[in-house]
Amino acid sequence: QVHLVGSGGGSVQAGGSLTLSCEVSGDIGASWCVAWFRQGPGKKREGVAFIDSSTDKEYANFAKGRFTAYKAGDKYTIGEPLHLSLTALRPEDTAVYFCAAKPTSVCYLPDIRNEGSNFHFWDRGTQVTVSP
């Protein structure tokens, strides 16, 4: 079983920054994939970014240049928090942000091109609100 706890959401003005964290525990395997998704008011859930055990990272087009997924420390081993830095935030970034894990497999771009059907473990979500 894999357990995820997300944190770091909040309210900021447009142009501000936040850092989301995702703590993963449990038997995720030597290969793993962790992604962030978001769901805005009245919108479908969409992929934001991923980071995996091969150090690969990928971002949705709206996130490129503004959001950065990273892990503190030199080694990409699960058990320590993963982070998603959100900068230059816009009101349209307002959403509940979820982190999700896919054990025993690295990430692939299609993993964040849908609503997260490839992921079986999720946190409860953290609210990000960006005011004009």
Side-chain angles (χ1 to χ4, degrees):
Q1 190 71 10
V2 175
H3 186 59
L4 294 88
V5 177
S7 61
S11 297
V12 296
Q13 291 189 320
S17 301
L18 288 170
T19 297
L20 306 182
S21 297
C22 183
E23 296 188 34
V24 184
S25 60
D27 186 13
I28 200 170
S31 295
W32 50 263
C33 168
V34 171
W36 282 267
F37 292 81
R38 71 182 188 181
Q39 187 166 17
K43 298 181 180 179
K44 291 184 177 180
R45 189 164 62 194
E46 61 182 350
V48 179
F50 70 61
I51 184 171
D52 71 14
S53 53
S54 72
T55 76
D56 195 17
K57 304 173 189 179
E58 196 54 74
Y59 302 91
N61 287 336
F62 64 79
K64 290 179 181 178
R66 300 190 300 130
F67 298 175
T68 304
Y70 67 96
K71 185 182 184 307
D74 295 332
K75 280 194 161 184
Y76 277 67
T77 54
I78 208 68
E80 295 182 11
L82 299 162
H83 307 283
L84 182 67
S85 172
L86 313 176
T87 65
L89 283 163
R90 307 163 181 165
E92 54 264 39
D93 293 319
T94 294
V96 177
Y97 284 70
F98 300 89
C99 63
K102 185 176 70 166
T104 67
S105 172
V106 296
C107 299
Y108 300 95
L109 190 55
D111 286 331
I112 57 169
R113 293 288 192 246
N114 57 53
E115 295 182 47
S117 57
N118 295 339
F119 294 83
H120 301 291
F121 300 99
W122 296 78
D123 76 333
R124 293 187 173 186
T126 185
Q127 178 70 45
V128 171
T129 302
V130 185
S131 57

